[in-house]
């Protein structure tokens, strides 16, 4: 009778409400999944390891801000001898790869001016536009001024695996000490030679000793 009809009606309304709620829940889940799994454009390693999640500067700064991660920004050049020596160190280091998961990794090939940080070139060359150089920024893109290479004349010239690892750990807030002997880099400027190319380096694979000659 009437009570049966009323129960059936409320059952229909309740079922529709549950279905609607289920649809809304599905929409929310999909939206959250898309947000969490947002794809960022990857660039090649260019000698620094293709299995890293490398980003362009613009894309990397965007990702760092959205994910709240610090960034490691690597500047290098295809014709640079020191870059060719540093690249495999980064590419083959299991520890750097482990730490890289906590960073946004930015790869800038300075052969291409379009890859430079537009409007911020001087910030990322505070003590010279030498190469290779590595900067660390916070999630807002601000340079972490204390995160510099140990034992070098030029603050952002990293020569060894240990020096990079140590500063990556410090950038993450880990309590570590970077020993200057890990880098053991010597720079020799020759102001009388106006015809120097990209840089002349004397390199010892065992001791990681560099002599760097370039008129900056």
């Amino acid at each position: 009778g009437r009570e049966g009809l009323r129960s059936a009606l409320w059952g229909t309304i309740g079922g529709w409400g549950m279905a609607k709620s289920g649809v809304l829940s599905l929409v929310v889940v999909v939206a959250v999944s898309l947000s969490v799994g947002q794809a960022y454009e990857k660039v090649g390693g260019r000698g620094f390891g293709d299995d890293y999640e490398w980003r362009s500067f613009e894309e990397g700064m965007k990702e760092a801000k959205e994910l709240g991660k610090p960034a490691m920004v690597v500047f290098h050049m295809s014709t640079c001898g020191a870059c060719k020596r540093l690249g495999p160190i980064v590419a083959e280091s299991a520890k750097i790869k482990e730490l890289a998961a906590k960073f946004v990794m930015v790869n800038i090939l300075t052969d291409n001016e379009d890859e430079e940080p537009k409007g911020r070139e001087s910030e990322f060359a505070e003590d010279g536009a030498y190469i290779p150089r590595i900067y660390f920024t916070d999630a807002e893109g601000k340079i972490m001024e204390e995160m510099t290479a140990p034992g070098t004349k030029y603050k952002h010239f990293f020569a060894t695996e240990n020096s990079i690892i140590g500063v990556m750990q410090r950038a993450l807030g880990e309590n570590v000490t970077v020993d200057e002997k890990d880098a053991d880099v010597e720079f020799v400027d020759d102001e009388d030679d106006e015809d120097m190319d990209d840089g002349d380096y004397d390199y010892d694979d065992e001791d990681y000793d560099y002599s760097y000659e370039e008129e900056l």
Side-chain angles (χ1 to χ4, degrees):
R2 183 178 298 178
E3 290 300 321
L5 180 60
R6 182 180 297 172
S7 297
L9 178 60
W10 280 113
T12 301
I13 293 173
W16 178 82
M18 292 178 65
K20 184 178 179 181
S21 175
V23 170
L24 290 174
S25 298
L26 179 61
V27 170
V28 171
V29 169
V30 170
V32 170
S33 297
L34 288 174
S35 175
V36 172
Q38 180 174 350
Y40 298 93
E41 184 177 353
K42 183 177 179 178
V43 300
R46 281 85 69 89
F48 280 74
D50 289 331
D51 50 351
Y52 285 88
E53 291 293 323
W54 293 110
R55 305 286 185 249
S56 66
F57 181 80
E58 183 176 352
E59 192 81 352
M61 293 298 100
K62 176 183 176 182
E63 181 179 357
K65 185 171 185 178
E66 292 178 351
L67 300 185
K69 285 185 174 183
M72 174 173 155
V73 185
V74 179
F75 293 82
H76 61 108
M77 180 179 284
S78 61
T79 57
C80 162
C83 300
K84 292 177 181 178
R85 288 186 284 270
L86 182 62
I89 291 175
V90 174
E92 298 168 10
S93 171
K95 184 61 177 179
I96 292 178
K97 288 177 184 176
E98 175 188 330
L99 291 169
K102 300 177 182 179
F103 287 83
V104 173
M105 303 292 285
V106 177
N107 188 311
I108 298 177
L109 189 64
T110 60
D111 302 52
N112 185 355
E113 292 184 0
D114 291 338
E115 296 193 21
E116 295 280 1
K118 300 294 187 295
R120 301 186 62 187
E121 291 89 347
S122 61
E123 289 183 56
F124 288 90
E126 58 171 330
D127 61 336
Y130 50 86
I131 48 173
R133 62 188 189 278
I134 299 176
Y135 278 78
F136 292 86
T137 66
D138 63 19
E140 297 299 318
K142 182 179 179 181
I143 292 173
M144 302 169 77
E145 296 181 357
E146 300 302 315
M147 302 302 136
T148 56
T152 68
K153 176 180 178 180
Y154 297 108
K155 296 191 296 184
H156 301 281
F157 187 100
F158 289 79
T160 70
E161 177 185 18
N162 284 341
S163 63
I164 296 173
I165 289 170
V167 178
M168 290 178 82
Q169 290 174 323
R170 287 173 53 210
L172 293 171
E174 299 180 14
N175 186 22
V176 298
T177 300
V178 180
D179 193 333
E180 292 191 359
K181 69 183 180 182
D182 283 340
D184 199 13
V185 181
E186 179 185 3
F187 292 86
V188 180
D189 294 327
D190 187 345
E191 297 180 356
D192 297 327
D193 189 344
E194 298 180 356
D195 299 320
M196 285 187 179
D197 58 15
D198 222 23
D200 298 323
Y201 301 79
D202 294 328
Y203 179 74
D204 186 307
D205 284 331
E206 181 177 353
D207 297 327
Y208 299 101
D209 291 333
Y210 283 82
S211 290
Y212 176 35
E213 300 177 337
E214 181 179 338
E215 185 173 10
L216 299 174

